[in-house]
PDB file of all heavy atoms in Angstrom:
ATOM      1  N   ASP A   1     195.246 201.225 155.849  1.00  0.00           N
ATOM      2  CA  ASP A   1     196.177 200.088 155.761  1.00  0.00           C
ATOM      3  C   ASP A   1     195.448 198.774 155.431  1.00  0.00           C
ATOM      4  O   ASP A   1     195.975 197.686 155.664  1.00  0.00           O
ATOM      5  CB  ASP A   1     196.958 199.952 157.078  1.00  0.00           C
ATOM      6  CG  ASP A   1     196.039 199.774 158.283  1.00  0.00           C
ATOM      7  OD1 ASP A   1     194.811 200.012 158.134  1.00  0.00           O
ATOM      8  OD2 ASP A   1     196.539 199.399 159.361  1.00  0.00           O
ATOM      9  N   ALA A   2     194.264 198.865 154.844  1.00  0.00           N
ATOM     10  CA  ALA A   2     193.502 197.653 154.502  1.00  0.00           C
ATOM     11  C   ALA A   2     194.170 196.903 153.359  1.00  0.00           C
ATOM     12  O   ALA A   2     194.809 197.499 152.482  1.00  0.00           O
ATOM     13  CB  ALA A   2     192.082 198.042 154.091  1.00  0.00           C
ATOM     14  N   THR A   3     194.018 195.591 153.387  1.00  0.00           N
ATOM     15  CA  THR A   3     194.584 194.752 152.322  1.00  0.00           C
ATOM     16  C   THR A   3     193.699 194.872 151.078  1.00  0.00           C
ATOM     17  O   THR A   3     192.579 195.378 151.135  1.00  0.00           O
ATOM     18  CB  THR A   3     194.638 193.277 152.766  1.00  0.00           C
ATOM     19  OG1 THR A   3     193.287 192.823 152.962  1.00  0.00           O
ATOM     20  CG2 THR A   3     195.438 193.108 154.055  1.00  0.00           C
ATOM     21  N   ASP A   4     194.223 194.366 149.963  1.00  0.00           N
ATOM     22  CA  ASP A   4     193.452 194.391 148.714  1.00  0.00           C
ATOM     23  C   ASP A   4     192.128 193.644 148.874  1.00  0.00           C
ATOM     24  O   ASP A   4     191.096 194.081 148.355  1.00  0.00           O
ATOM     25  CB  ASP A   4     194.266 193.786 147.561  1.00  0.00           C
ATOM     26  CG  ASP A   4     195.403 194.702 147.128  1.00  0.00           C
ATOM     27  OD1 ASP A   4     195.383 195.886 147.510  1.00  0.00           O
ATOM     28  OD2 ASP A   4     196.307 194.231 146.397  1.00  0.00           O
ATOM     29  N   ASP A   5     192.182 192.510 149.571  1.00  0.00           N
ATOM     30  CA  ASP A   5     190.952 191.725 149.788  1.00  0.00           C
ATOM     31  C   ASP A   5     189.935 192.510 150.614  1.00  0.00           C
ATOM     32  O   ASP A   5     188.728 192.480 150.318  1.00  0.00           O
ATOM     33  CB  ASP A   5     191.276 190.400 150.501  1.00  0.00           C
ATOM     34  CG  ASP A   5     191.939 189.397 149.577  1.00  0.00           C
ATOM     35  OD1 ASP A   5     191.891 189.610 148.351  1.00  0.00           O
ATOM     36  OD2 ASP A   5     192.502 188.406 150.083  1.00  0.00           O
ATOM     37  N   GLU A   6     190.412 193.210 151.632  1.00  0.00           N
ATOM     38  CA  GLU A   6     189.515 193.999 152.474  1.00  0.00           C
ATOM     39  C   GLU A   6     188.907 195.166 151.694  1.00  0.00           C
ATOM     40  O   GLU A   6     187.735 195.488 151.861  1.00  0.00           O
ATOM     41  CB  GLU A   6     190.268 194.517 153.707  1.00  0.00           C
ATOM     42  CG  GLU A   6     190.589 193.432 154.714  1.00  0.00           C
ATOM     43  CD  GLU A   6     191.510 193.904 155.827  1.00  0.00           C
ATOM     44  OE1 GLU A   6     192.275 194.874 155.604  1.00  0.00           O
ATOM     45  OE2 GLU A   6     191.452 193.302 156.918  1.00  0.00           O
ATOM     46  N   ILE A   7     189.715 195.777 150.837  1.00  0.00           N
ATOM     47  CA  ILE A   7     189.220 196.878 150.004  1.00  0.00           C
ATOM     48  C   ILE A   7     188.159 196.366 149.039  1.00  0.00           C
ATOM     49  O   ILE A   7     187.097 196.976 148.866  1.00  0.00           O
ATOM     50  CB  ILE A   7     190.384 197.551 149.235  1.00  0.00           C
ATOM     51  CG1 ILE A   7     191.293 198.305 150.217  1.00  0.00           C
ATOM     52  CG2 ILE A   7     189.862 198.494 148.152  1.00  0.00           C
ATOM     53  CD1 ILE A   7     192.577 198.819 149.621  1.00  0.00           C
ATOM     54  N   GLU A   8     188.436 195.214 148.428  1.00  0.00           N
ATOM     55  CA  GLU A   8     187.482 194.618 147.489  1.00  0.00           C
ATOM     56  C   GLU A   8     186.180 194.263 148.199  1.00  0.00           C
ATOM     57  O   GLU A   8     185.087 194.500 147.676  1.00  0.00           O
ATOM     58  CB  GLU A   8     188.114 193.369 146.862  1.00  0.00           C
ATOM     59  CG  GLU A   8     187.371 192.846 145.665  1.00  0.00           C
ATOM     60  CD  GLU A   8     188.096 191.682 144.998  1.00  0.00           C
ATOM     61  OE1 GLU A   8     189.327 191.724 144.869  1.00  0.00           O
ATOM     62  OE2 GLU A   8     187.396 190.724 144.628  1.00  0.00           O
ATOM     63  N   GLU A   9     186.307 193.721 149.397  1.00  0.00           N
ATOM     64  CA  GLU A   9     185.125 193.359 150.183  1.00  0.00           C
ATOM     65  C   GLU A   9     184.312 194.604 150.554  1.00  0.00           C
ATOM     66  O   GLU A   9     183.088 194.619 150.480  1.00  0.00           O
ATOM     67  CB  GLU A   9     185.571 192.621 151.454  1.00  0.00           C
ATOM     68  CG  GLU A   9     184.420 192.051 152.266  1.00  0.00           C
ATOM     69  CD  GLU A   9     184.916 191.299 153.499  1.00  0.00           C
ATOM     70  OE1 GLU A   9     185.988 190.669 153.438  1.00  0.00           O
ATOM     71  OE2 GLU A   9     184.205 191.360 154.521  1.00  0.00           O
ATOM     72  N   ALA A  10     185.016 195.684 150.934  1.00  0.00           N
ATOM     73  CA  ALA A  10     184.345 196.935 151.299  1.00  0.00           C
ATOM     74  C   ALA A  10     183.634 197.534 150.090  1.00  0.00           C
ATOM     75  O   ALA A  10     182.524 198.066 150.212  1.00  0.00           O
ATOM     76  CB  ALA A  10     185.355 197.927 151.864  1.00  0.00           C
ATOM     77  N   GLU A  11     184.254 197.447 148.912  1.00  0.00           N
ATOM     78  CA  GLU A  11     183.633 197.974 147.695  1.00  0.00           C
ATOM     79  C   GLU A  11     182.367 197.185 147.341  1.00  0.00           C
ATOM     80  O   GLU A  11     181.355 197.766 146.940  1.00  0.00           O
ATOM     81  CB  GLU A  11     184.627 197.949 146.533  1.00  0.00           C
ATOM     82  CG  GLU A  11     185.703 199.027 146.637  1.00  0.00           C
ATOM     83  CD  GLU A  11     186.781 198.879 145.561  1.00  0.00           C
ATOM     84  OE1 GLU A  11     186.771 197.856 144.828  1.00  0.00           O
ATOM     85  OE2 GLU A  11     187.633 199.786 145.464  1.00  0.00           O
ATOM     86  N   ALA A  12     182.452 195.855 147.502  1.00  0.00           N
ATOM     87  CA  ALA A  12     181.274 195.016 147.228  1.00  0.00           C
ATOM     88  C   ALA A  12     180.154 195.330 148.218  1.00  0.00           C
ATOM     89  O   ALA A  12     178.977 195.395 147.849  1.00  0.00           O
ATOM     90  CB  ALA A  12     181.656 193.542 147.313  1.00  0.00           C
ATOM     91  N   GLU A  13     180.530 195.568 149.466  1.00  0.00           N
ATOM     92  CA  GLU A  13     179.539 195.901 150.498  1.00  0.00           C
ATOM     93  C   GLU A  13     178.864 197.235 150.179  1.00  0.00           C
ATOM     94  O   GLU A  13     177.654 197.381 150.303  1.00  0.00           O
ATOM     95  CB  GLU A  13     180.245 195.983 151.862  1.00  0.00           C
ATOM     96  CG  GLU A  13     179.293 196.012 153.042  1.00  0.00           C
ATOM     97  CD  GLU A  13     180.043 196.008 154.375  1.00  0.00           C
ATOM     98  OE1 GLU A  13     181.210 195.584 154.417  1.00  0.00           O
ATOM     99  OE2 GLU A  13     179.426 196.457 155.361  1.00  0.00           O
ATOM    100  N   ARG A  14     179.674 198.207 149.710  1.00  0.00           N
ATOM    101  CA  ARG A  14     179.106 199.521 149.346  1.00  0.00           C
ATOM    102  C   ARG A  14     178.181 199.387 148.138  1.00  0.00           C
ATOM    103  O   ARG A  14     177.125 200.005 148.084  1.00  0.00           O
ATOM    104  CB  ARG A  14     180.217 200.533 149.056  1.00  0.00           C
ATOM    105  CG  ARG A  14     179.632 201.867 148.633  1.00  0.00           C
ATOM    106  CD  ARG A  14     180.668 202.947 148.434  1.00  0.00           C
ATOM    107  NE  ARG A  14     180.136 204.073 147.706  1.00  0.00           N
ATOM    108  CZ  ARG A  14     179.270 204.951 148.171  1.00  0.00           C
ATOM    109  NH1 ARG A  14     178.784 204.828 149.393  1.00  0.00           N
ATOM    110  NH2 ARG A  14     178.843 205.962 147.425  1.00  0.00           N
ATOM    111  N   ASP A  15     178.583 198.576 147.151  1.00  0.00           N
ATOM    112  CA  ASP A  15     177.735 198.362 145.973  1.00  0.00           C
ATOM    113  C   ASP A  15     176.384 197.771 146.374  1.00  0.00           C
ATOM    114  O   ASP A  15     175.340 198.186 145.874  1.00  0.00           O
ATOM    115  CB  ASP A  15     178.429 197.446 144.956  1.00  0.00           C
ATOM    116  CG  ASP A  15     179.598 198.132 144.259  1.00  0.00           C
ATOM    117  OD1 ASP A  15     179.693 199.370 144.339  1.00  0.00           O
ATOM    118  OD2 ASP A  15     180.418 197.423 143.634  1.00  0.00           O
ATOM    119  N   ASN A  16     176.421 196.792 147.276  1.00  0.00           N
ATOM    120  CA  ASN A  16     175.175 196.179 147.760  1.00  0.00           C
ATOM    121  C   ASN A  16     174.321 197.198 148.506  1.00  0.00           C
ATOM    122  O   ASN A  16     173.108 197.248 148.333  1.00  0.00           O
ATOM    123  CB  ASN A  16     175.477 194.990 148.685  1.00  0.00           C
ATOM    124  CG  ASN A  16     175.997 193.793 147.927  1.00  0.00           C
ATOM    125  OD1 ASN A  16     175.772 193.655 146.734  1.00  0.00           O
ATOM    126  ND2 ASN A  16     176.721 192.919 148.615  1.00  0.00           N
ATOM    127  N   TRP A  17     174.984 198.020 149.352  1.00  0.00           N
ATOM    128  CA  TRP A  17     174.259 199.058 150.087  1.00  0.00           C
ATOM    129  C   TRP A  17     173.595 200.030 149.115  1.00  0.00           C
ATOM    130  O   TRP A  17     172.431 200.382 149.275  1.00  0.00           O
ATOM    131  CB  TRP A  17     175.224 199.830 150.993  1.00  0.00           C
ATOM    132  CG  TRP A  17     174.617 201.124 151.450  1.00  0.00           C
ATOM    133  CD1 TRP A  17     173.702 201.298 152.444  1.00  0.00           C
ATOM    134  CD2 TRP A  17     174.829 202.419 150.883  1.00  0.00           C
ATOM    135  NE1 TRP A  17     173.340 202.624 152.530  1.00  0.00           N
ATOM    136  CE2 TRP A  17     174.024 203.332 151.585  1.00  0.00           C
ATOM    137  CE3 TRP A  17     175.636 202.896 149.843  1.00  0.00           C
ATOM    138  CZ2 TRP A  17     173.997 204.693 151.294  1.00  0.00           C
ATOM    139  CZ3 TRP A  17     175.613 204.251 149.547  1.00  0.00           C
ATOM    140  CH2 TRP A  17     174.798 205.132 150.269  1.00  0.00           C
ATOM    141  N   LEU A  18     174.357 200.436 148.081  1.00  0.00           N
ATOM    142  CA  LEU A  18     173.850 201.417 147.133  1.00  0.00           C
ATOM    143  C   LEU A  18     172.626 200.889 146.398  1.00  0.00           C
ATOM    144  O   LEU A  18     171.626 201.595 146.248  1.00  0.00           O
ATOM    145  CB  LEU A  18     174.961 201.780 146.140  1.00  0.00           C
ATOM    146  CG  LEU A  18     174.766 203.020 145.289  1.00  0.00           C
ATOM    147  CD1 LEU A  18     174.437 204.235 146.138  1.00  0.00           C
ATOM    148  CD2 LEU A  18     175.993 203.272 144.431  1.00  0.00           C
ATOM    149  N   GLU A  19     172.671 199.631 145.978  1.00  0.00           N
ATOM    150  CA  GLU A  19     171.517 199.025 145.294  1.00  0.00           C
ATOM    151  C   GLU A  19     170.301 198.976 146.210  1.00  0.00           C
ATOM    152  O   GLU A  19     169.192 199.314 145.813  1.00  0.00           O
ATOM    153  CB  GLU A  19     171.870 197.611 144.801  1.00  0.00           C
ATOM    154  CG  GLU A  19     172.692 197.575 143.541  1.00  0.00           C
ATOM    155  CD  GLU A  19     172.078 198.377 142.399  1.00  0.00           C
ATOM    156  OE1 GLU A  19     170.891 198.173 142.077  1.00  0.00           O
ATOM    157  OE2 GLU A  19     172.778 199.251 141.848  1.00  0.00           O
ATOM    158  N   GLN A  20     170.532 198.548 147.447  1.00  0.00           N
ATOM    159  CA  GLN A  20     169.424 198.450 148.411  1.00  0.00           C
ATOM    160  C   GLN A  20     168.843 199.830 148.720  1.00  0.00           C
ATOM    161  O   GLN A  20     167.625 200.004 148.771  1.00  0.00           O
ATOM    162  CB  GLN A  20     169.922 197.786 149.699  1.00  0.00           C
ATOM    163  CG  GLN A  20     168.834 197.528 150.708  1.00  0.00           C
ATOM    164  CD  GLN A  20     169.365 196.916 151.995  1.00  0.00           C
ATOM    165  OE1 GLN A  20     170.540 196.564 152.099  1.00  0.00           O
ATOM    166  NE2 GLN A  20     168.495 196.786 152.979  1.00  0.00           N
ATOM    167  N   ALA A  21     169.723 200.828 148.886  1.00  0.00           N
ATOM    168  CA  ALA A  21     169.273 202.185 149.197  1.00  0.00           C
ATOM    169  C   ALA A  21     168.465 202.763 148.034  1.00  0.00           C
ATOM    170  O   ALA A  21     167.428 203.399 148.239  1.00  0.00           O
ATOM    171  CB  ALA A  21     170.478 203.071 149.512  1.00  0.00           C
ATOM    172  N   LYS A  22     168.930 202.536 146.816  1.00  0.00           N
ATOM    173  CA  LYS A  22     168.209 203.025 145.635  1.00  0.00           C
ATOM    174  C   LYS A  22     166.829 202.378 145.550  1.00  0.00           C
ATOM    175  O   LYS A  22     165.833 203.047 145.257  1.00  0.00           O
ATOM    176  CB  LYS A  22     169.000 202.707 144.360  1.00  0.00           C
ATOM    177  CG  LYS A  22     170.212 203.590 144.135  1.00  0.00           C
ATOM    178  CD  LYS A  22     170.921 203.157 142.851  1.00  0.00           C
ATOM    179  CE  LYS A  22     172.128 204.005 142.556  1.00  0.00           C
ATOM    180  NZ  LYS A  22     172.804 203.613 141.303  1.00  0.00           N
ATOM    181  N   GLU A  23     166.758 201.071 145.806  1.00  0.00           N
ATOM    182  CA  GLU A  23     165.471 200.363 145.771  1.00  0.00           C
ATOM    183  C   GLU A  23     164.503 200.936 146.804  1.00  0.00           C
ATOM    184  O   GLU A  23     163.309 201.100 146.524  1.00  0.00           O
ATOM    185  CB  GLU A  23     165.687 198.868 146.018  1.00  0.00           C
ATOM    186  CG  GLU A  23     166.230 198.117 144.811  1.00  0.00           C
ATOM    187  CD  GLU A  23     166.548 196.663 145.126  1.00  0.00           C
ATOM    188  OE1 GLU A  23     166.000 196.132 146.118  1.00  0.00           O
ATOM    189  OE2 GLU A  23     167.345 196.067 144.386  1.00  0.00           O
ATOM    190  N   GLU A  24     165.014 201.229 147.999  1.00  0.00           N
ATOM    191  CA  GLU A  24     164.168 201.803 149.062  1.00  0.00           C
ATOM    192  C   GLU A  24     163.570 203.136 148.609  1.00  0.00           C
ATOM    193  O   GLU A  24     162.379 203.393 148.791  1.00  0.00           O
ATOM    194  CB  GLU A  24     164.981 202.021 150.344  1.00  0.00           C
ATOM    195  CG  GLU A  24     165.378 200.756 151.062  1.00  0.00           C
ATOM    196  CD  GLU A  24     164.218 200.105 151.788  1.00  0.00           C
ATOM    197  OE1 GLU A  24     163.202 200.769 152.045  1.00  0.00           O
ATOM    198  OE2 GLU A  24     164.341 198.910 152.103  1.00  0.00           O
ATOM    199  N   LEU A  25     164.414 203.975 147.990  1.00  0.00           N
ATOM    200  CA  LEU A  25     163.956 205.297 147.583  1.00  0.00           C
ATOM    201  C   LEU A  25     162.966 205.208 146.425  1.00  0.00           C
ATOM    202  O   LEU A  25     161.905 205.837 146.455  1.00  0.00           O
ATOM    203  CB  LEU A  25     165.161 206.163 147.194  1.00  0.00           C
ATOM    204  CG  LEU A  25     164.848 207.593 146.754  1.00  0.00           C
ATOM    205  CD1 LEU A  25     163.938 208.301 147.752  1.00  0.00           C
ATOM    206  CD2 LEU A  25     166.126 208.374 146.552  1.00  0.00           C
ATOM    207  N   VAL A  26     163.288 204.406 145.420  1.00  0.00           N
ATOM    208  CA  VAL A  26     162.379 204.257 144.273  1.00  0.00           C
ATOM    209  C   VAL A  26     161.037 203.694 144.733  1.00  0.00           C
ATOM    210  O   VAL A  26     159.978 204.166 144.319  1.00  0.00           O
ATOM    211  CB  VAL A  26     163.003 203.367 143.181  1.00  0.00           C
ATOM    212  CG1 VAL A  26     161.976 202.963 142.135  1.00  0.00           C
ATOM    213  CG2 VAL A  26     164.164 204.087 142.512  1.00  0.00           C
ATOM    214  N   SER A  27     161.072 202.695 145.613  1.00  0.00           N
ATOM    215  CA  SER A  27     159.842 202.101 146.116  1.00  0.00           C
ATOM    216  C   SER A  27     158.999 203.150 146.850  1.00  0.00           C
ATOM    217  O   SER A  27     157.782 203.231 146.673  1.00  0.00           O
ATOM    218  CB  SER A  27     160.189 200.943 147.051  1.00  0.00           C
ATOM    219  OG  SER A  27     159.041 200.422 147.642  1.00  0.00           O
ATOM    220  N   ALA A  28     159.648 203.992 147.662  1.00  0.00           N
ATOM    221  CA  ALA A  28     158.925 205.020 148.409  1.00  0.00           C
ATOM    222  C   ALA A  28     158.309 206.056 147.467  1.00  0.00           C
ATOM    223  O   ALA A  28     157.187 206.501 147.680  1.00  0.00           O
ATOM    224  CB  ALA A  28     159.868 205.702 149.400  1.00  0.00           C
ATOM    225  N   VAL A  29     159.036 206.433 146.417  1.00  0.00           N
ATOM    226  CA  VAL A  29     158.531 207.428 145.455  1.00  0.00           C
ATOM    227  C   VAL A  29     157.335 206.868 144.696  1.00  0.00           C
ATOM    228  O   VAL A  29     156.350 207.561 144.466  1.00  0.00           O
ATOM    229  CB  VAL A  29     159.645 207.879 144.486  1.00  0.00           C
ATOM    230  CG1 VAL A  29     159.076 208.703 143.351  1.00  0.00           C
ATOM    231  CG2 VAL A  29     160.700 208.680 145.228  1.00  0.00           C
ATOM    232  N   TYR A  30     157.405 205.582 144.319  1.00  0.00           N
ATOM    233  CA  TYR A  30     156.313 204.989 143.545  1.00  0.00           C
ATOM    234  C   TYR A  30     155.139 204.556 144.432  1.00  0.00           C
ATOM    235  O   TYR A  30     154.103 204.176 143.914  1.00  0.00           O
ATOM    236  CB  TYR A  30     156.819 203.824 142.693  1.00  0.00           C
ATOM    237  CG  TYR A  30     157.396 204.312 141.381  1.00  0.00           C
ATOM    238  CD1 TYR A  30     158.737 204.605 141.257  1.00  0.00           C
ATOM    239  CD2 TYR A  30     156.580 204.500 140.266  1.00  0.00           C
ATOM    240  CE1 TYR A  30     159.266 205.074 140.063  1.00  0.00           C
ATOM    241  CE2 TYR A  30     157.090 204.963 139.063  1.00  0.00           C
ATOM    242  CZ  TYR A  30     158.434 205.243 138.971  1.00  0.00           C
ATOM    243  OH  TYR A  30     158.943 205.731 137.786  1.00  0.00           O
ATOM    244  N   ASP A  31     155.293 204.625 145.759  1.00  0.00           N
ATOM    245  CA  ASP A  31     154.173 204.329 146.659  1.00  0.00           C
ATOM    246  C   ASP A  31     153.143 205.455 146.683  1.00  0.00           C
ATOM    247  O   ASP A  31     152.010 205.268 147.093  1.00  0.00           O
ATOM    248  CB  ASP A  31     154.675 204.091 148.086  1.00  0.00           C
ATOM    249  CG  ASP A  31     155.121 202.656 148.302  1.00  0.00           C
ATOM    250  OD1 ASP A  31     154.846 201.817 147.422  1.00  0.00           O
ATOM    251  OD2 ASP A  31     155.748 202.377 149.340  1.00  0.00           O
ATOM    252  N   VAL A  32     153.578 206.650 146.254  1.00  0.00           N
ATOM    253  CA  VAL A  32     152.668 207.811 146.281  1.00  0.00           C
ATOM    254  C   VAL A  32     151.535 207.602 145.269  1.00  0.00           C
ATOM    255  O   VAL A  32     151.770 207.238 144.134  1.00  0.00           O
ATOM    256  CB  VAL A  32     153.432 209.105 145.950  1.00  0.00           C
ATOM    257  CG1 VAL A  32     152.481 210.291 145.941  1.00  0.00           C
ATOM    258  CG2 VAL A  32     154.561 209.329 146.941  1.00  0.00           C
ATOM    259  N   GLU A  33     150.304 207.809 145.725  1.00  0.00           N
ATOM    260  CA  GLU A  33     149.130 207.671 144.859  1.00  0.00           C
ATOM    261  C   GLU A  33     148.307 208.944 144.892  1.00  0.00           C
ATOM    262  O   GLU A  33     148.210 209.594 145.931  1.00  0.00           O
ATOM    263  CB  GLU A  33     148.268 206.484 145.325  1.00  0.00           C
ATOM    264  CG  GLU A  33     148.958 205.147 145.187  1.00  0.00           C
ATOM    265  CD  GLU A  33     148.120 204.004 145.707  1.00  0.00           C
ATOM    266  OE1 GLU A  33     146.987 204.248 146.169  1.00  0.00           O
ATOM    267  OE2 GLU A  33     148.591 202.854 145.661  1.00  0.00           O
ATOM    268  N   LEU A  34     147.732 209.289 143.758  1.00  0.00           N
ATOM    269  CA  LEU A  34     146.907 210.496 143.666  1.00  0.00           C
ATOM    270  C   LEU A  34     145.466 210.240 144.017  1.00  0.00           C
ATOM    271  O   LEU A  34     144.725 211.142 144.390  1.00  0.00           O
ATOM    272  CB  LEU A  34     146.981 211.092 142.256  1.00  0.00           C
ATOM    273  CG  LEU A  34     148.346 211.591 141.781  1.00  0.00           C
ATOM    274  CD1 LEU A  34     148.221 212.203 140.404  1.00  0.00           C
ATOM    275  CD2 LEU A  34     148.908 212.602 142.762  1.00  0.00           C
ATOM    276  N   TYR A  35     144.999 208.987 143.871  1.00  0.00           N
ATOM    277  CA  TYR A  35     143.571 208.703 144.062  1.00  0.00           C
ATOM    278  C   TYR A  35     143.367 207.681 145.146  1.00  0.00           C
ATOM    279  O   TYR A  35     144.219 206.911 145.443  1.00  0.00           O
ATOM    280  CB  TYR A  35     142.946 208.201 142.761  1.00  0.00           C
ATOM    281  CG  TYR A  35     143.108 209.193 141.636  1.00  0.00           C
ATOM    282  CD1 TYR A  35     144.122 209.057 140.700  1.00  0.00           C
ATOM    283  CD2 TYR A  35     142.260 210.294 141.537  1.00  0.00           C
ATOM    284  CE1 TYR A  35     144.270 209.988 139.674  1.00  0.00           C
ATOM    285  CE2 TYR A  35     142.408 211.222 140.525  1.00  0.00           C
ATOM    286  CZ  TYR A  35     143.424 211.070 139.604  1.00  0.00           C
ATOM    287  OH  TYR A  35     143.583 211.999 138.603  1.00  0.00           O
TER     288      TYR A  35
END
């Protein structure tokens, strides 16, 4: 029963979470060193 504004806010929050989560994972993968 969320309003349009609440849905829009939740979508923006998820987009921000997704970007941050992707950055965390990419950073962790590129931290690996062979030497």
Side-chain angles (χ1 to χ4, degrees):
D1 58 347
T3 64
D4 288 345
D5 286 345
E6 288 171 335
I7 291 171
E8 193 175 319
E9 187 179 326
E11 286 173 352
E13 193 177 338
R14 178 176 165 72
D15 289 345
N16 288 338
W17 164 79
L18 195 53
E19 282 307 308
Q20 185 182 353
K22 285 179 179 181
E23 283 175 21
E24 289 286 341
L25 181 50
V26 168
S27 175
V29 170
Y30 276 92
D31 275 349
V32 178
E33 295 177 1
L34 297 183
Y35 302 98

